Amino acid sequence: GTKRIWIHIADPGRLIQPGSTLDQEAAARGSSLYLARGNQPMFPEVLSTGPFSLRAGHKSAAWSTWVELDDSGAIETYGIARSWVTPRYRLSYEDADELIDFAPPEEADLTELNDLLERRRQWRVSQGALLMDLPEGRIRCRKDEQPCVEITEPSPSRLMVAEAMILAGAVAARFG
């Protein structure tokens, strides 16, 4: 009767030989950069969007966090494990928003996950969390090199992903 939330994050470190040229380059970069003229991934793009990511239909190395919430939304039990996952499909934020809004019976999992993460969000608010559900602006360069501001509005799927990442962070903190 208890619902378990699984949160999977790609684990490229499992596919890299420690001390290799690729490992040294990733360590020097430290993280991916998201710049106005485009992204500079920590790893070469062919890897960061390929075997080092969670791709639909492909077996991928991951860090998997599982969480069970109590009725109020507090963490009841949890675990973290290295895993191999094969995502069934990839959704855009727009497609996920439609599925959440329309809640078709054949896609009940996404609606159920949204409800669980909303319960967790409400628990965090009851504990004093500050919510900043505001549009996000990023400066980008157009093809003609002129700067423009790209605005991303909050949406149910974006809030759901953000809540899942916050939850994974809370579990990692407890685990640590």
Side-chain angles (χ1 to χ4, degrees):
T2 303
K3 301 295 180 185
R4 181 171 282 182
I5 300 169
W6 285 92
I7 304 161
H8 306 289
I9 300 171
D11 180 16
R14 195 166 346 151
L15 305 174
I16 299 171
Q17 187 69 25
S20 67
T21 304
L22 188 58
D23 184 42
Q24 292 173 16
E25 181 63 23
R29 291 184 182 192
S31 69
S32 297
L33 297 176
Y34 301 92
L35 307 169
R37 285 195 165 88
N39 301 337
Q40 182 180 12
M42 181 188 291
F43 301 107
E45 189 169 354
V46 68
L47 295 175
S48 64
T49 60
F52 289 2
S53 66
L54 302 180
R55 298 176 295 154
H58 291 87
K59 185 176 176 181
S60 304
W63 279 103
S64 295
T65 301
W66 62 266
V67 185
E68 293 175 1
L69 303 175
D70 69 16
D71 291 339
S72 71
I75 296 171
E76 192 166 77
T77 59
Y78 63 88
I80 299 175
R82 284 185 130 172
S83 65
W84 291 94
V85 297
T86 305
R88 284 186 276 168
Y89 50 86
R90 180 183 178 106
L91 289 175
S92 68
Y93 284 110
E94 293 77 21
D95 290 342
D97 286 335
E98 279 188 27
L99 289 171
I100 292 167
D101 287 342
F102 296 121
E106 63 274 10
E107 294 294 340
D109 291 346
L110 190 61
T111 301
E112 196 168 28
L113 180 59
N114 187 58
D115 293 345
L116 286 167
L117 290 169
E118 181 58 31
R119 181 189 326 157
R120 174 63 181 177
R121 179 180 164 96
Q122 292 307 316
W123 178 87
R124 287 190 318 102
V125 168
S126 75
Q127 303 301 303
L130 176 63
L131 301 180
M132 309 222 3
D133 301 337
L134 302 171
E136 180 182 316
R138 290 186 176 177
I139 298 173
R140 298 280 189 211
C141 283
R142 299 186 312 220
K143 290 182 190 208
D144 63 2
E145 294 294 314
Q146 292 299 311
C148 66
V149 176
E150 190 178 276
I151 304 293
T152 303
E153 296 289 335
S155 72
S157 62
R158 289 178 187 279
L159 294 173
M160 187 172 73
V161 169
E163 195 62 43
M165 293 298 99
I166 293 167
L167 181 56
V171 167
R174 285 186 181 199
F175 187 81

